[in-house]
Amino acid sequence: MSDLKAAQDMMAAAVAAKGTEDPEVASVKRVLKLLDKTAKSNRTYGAANPVALKFSQQLFEELSNHLTTYAKLTFLVTRSELLCKDEVVYQAEKEGGSENLAFKLYADGIRELVLHQGLTEEDLAFFLDALWAGQDKENDDDIVTRLWQKNLAALTLVTAEEVAKVSSGADTFLKLDPVTTSDTTLRDLLDRERKKKEAQSGNSETQSATQRTARFQSGLVGYEVTEEELAALAKEIEQESQQDSTTYILDVLTAILASEQSPLLLTKLCSLWGHVITALVHAGKWAVLETVLSILHETEAVRPDITEEHKQQIAALLSGLGKPEHIKAIEAYLNRTPNANTEGLSTVLLMTGPESVSLLCSLLANLEHPAHQAIVSETLQTLAKDHIDPLLRGLTDRRPAYVRNLLAIVAKWNNPKFADTVEKLVRHPDAQVRKEAIRVFGLLKPNGNGARLILCLSDGEETVRIAALKLLTTGQYSAPFSQWTAVLSDDTFLDRALSEKRGVYQAIRATCGDEAVPYWQGLFTEWAWTNRKKKEECAVLAAEALGKLATPAAVATLELGQKKGGASVRQACTMALSQLHKQSKSSQPQRKQPEDAP
């Protein structure tokens, strides 16, 4: 009986021992169970959902407690299980399929994963995201690649590729069976295996240092580069990091436009280009916008395979450049930025096309800075040449600067058919506009009837009258003397400056000729009781005009004034006749002197 009793006690002790679980293994199981729940909730509800956040917080607390107690959490990865210290700590459910944690890690090439003390909540969040980000179709990186990009210091892993690399040349392949020693990890086995090979190859010291400094092993095979290549790569990276973000984005969009084959994505891309154009217009980046428009113009040449629908989309983008909201945005930017960089603006405005002439006229009228007005004027000079109606309507505007800019455009066109429209501006309220209108009228109609110009001599602004006189004294215009009566009989004529009165007499000579001689003769012989000095001044100017007229009637009148005029008039007539005599002698051919006889 005693032997039976002893056997029963031994069996009970064995059962009790078997039922006692390693505390570390139990802790790992709890962590992995929470990890699985957290991952599922994140996938189902999203990481920002309160349920997912609650599981994430519980996981972090449980994991922190484990790492505080045991310093690290280690498990080996097989196709359907995770193992720690020879025990299964995670096993996929039958209905789990390919979404279970063990299979996912195994499929992405991970054979061991270790979490170290010091893992932060942010690190854990990234780890969870890396585990399941592959469900995003646009992110096809594996877990190893995603973790390698972050390079978490508190996480190390061993990959199947790394195991294969270390095992190459060995008599037996390094097995992934459960590690029998609880303190030994697969990473330790790999490190020992590497040290053996390094000792054999003579590179043990260098590569061991590399092993000690690189806790995170990605398992990816790299390339050996020289110091020069490293320096060149560093420089290239620095240049790329300093690249303007706008230019970088446009480069990416251009590359997509040149290569993308999906019609749906190309349709989205064309829509995106529209937002790019609008953003660049509002930001005043004309040079960049010019580049974008050039790219869109050349799309058909670069992509002959592009569909008709996409061609129409791109054509709509280009034609939409001159829509009202874009022109208004240009106006707003230029008016609030007096010293704006206008490189490329002229090209952008030209690309709006003739259909935008009316809007560009409004833009010219509303711009506040002359430099900006000049750019728009230059554009209108090109675009409005065959679409003149909006511009001609603008000539009736009451804003002087706008009208002067339009007159400058008309002057550069130099088309006589605009002469009548320009002539109407001699009655504009602004004196500068009236003066500019006279100048442009002279360009468009450089000869003919001078009656319209004579009317300008009654203008209250002296500069306007002088502008008209300059044209009338050229001798290219004609007018009957009766047209001058209103000017000469005006009460203010005698009070005008001497230079202006001289100009009037010279203009009369140039337009009327001998028809004005009787008027000047009356100045020589008329006895004045009032304004005697001013009238004598006019008579002297008349003698000067008659001397330049130099017709027989003009000479006869000067001879009469020489006899019957006052002292100053006689002197002026004598000087005019003397000058005529000198001119007559110089114009006669000299008689040849006879040669002496031998």
Side-chain angles (χ1 to χ4, degrees), residues 304-322:
D305 60 322
I306 201 169
T307 65
E308 194 64 35
E309 179 184 354
H310 294 128
K311 290 179 183 178
Q312 292 175 2
Q313 272 190 290
I314 292 173
L317 288 174
L318 295 172
S319 62
L321 179 64

Side-chain angles (χ1 to χ4, degrees), residues 78-213:
T78 66
R79 183 179 296 274
S80 59
E81 298 174 336
L82 301 180
L83 303 113
C84 176
K85 300 176 73 172
D86 299 346
E87 293 193 39
V88 175
V89 290
Y90 174 91
Q91 189 172 27
E93 300 175 0
K94 292 181 180 179
E95 66 275 11
S98 62
E99 290 192 2
N100 75 79
L101 180 60
F103 181 84
K104 188 156 189 67
L105 293 172
Y106 186 87
D108 278 11
I110 297 176
R111 297 297 177 262
E112 182 188 69
L113 195 146
V114 182
L115 302 177
H116 297 270
Q117 195 172 25
L119 187 78
T120 65
E121 193 167 1
E122 181 183 359
D123 293 340
L124 178 60
F126 182 84
F127 174 61
L128 291 173
D129 184 63
L131 287 180
W132 300 105
Q135 289 194 339
D136 183 0
K137 293 182 179 179
E138 296 182 0
N139 186 349
D140 57 357
D141 291 336
D142 57 26
I143 297 174
V144 173
T145 302
R146 291 192 288 273
L147 292 176
W148 173 77
Q149 289 172 345
K150 186 69 172 180
N151 194 17
L152 298 177
L155 185 149
T156 60
L157 55 83
V158 175
T159 67
E161 182 179 1
E162 191 175 5
V163 173
K165 184 178 178 183
V166 173
S167 300
S168 61
D171 295 335
T172 58
F173 190 82
L174 193 62
K175 296 184 179 297
L176 299 179
D177 294 334
V179 179
T180 57
T181 304
S182 61
D183 293 333
T184 304
T185 64
L186 184 56
R187 165 62 54 207
D188 298 329
L189 295 177
L190 289 178
D191 288 347
R192 285 202 292 264
E193 192 68 23
R194 281 197 188 94
K195 288 178 181 179
K196 291 178 183 178
K197 290 190 175 184
E198 289 164 4
Q200 294 171 359
S201 63
N203 296 325
S204 176
E205 184 177 350
T206 302
Q207 296 193 14
S208 294
T210 304
Q211 293 292 325
R212 288 192 298 270
T213 56

Side-chain angles (χ1 to χ4, degrees), residues 35-50:
L35 175 63
D36 194 35
K37 286 183 178 180
T38 304
K40 288 178 180 178
S41 64
N42 281 2
R43 297 200 309 275
T44 304
Y45 306 110
N49 185 273

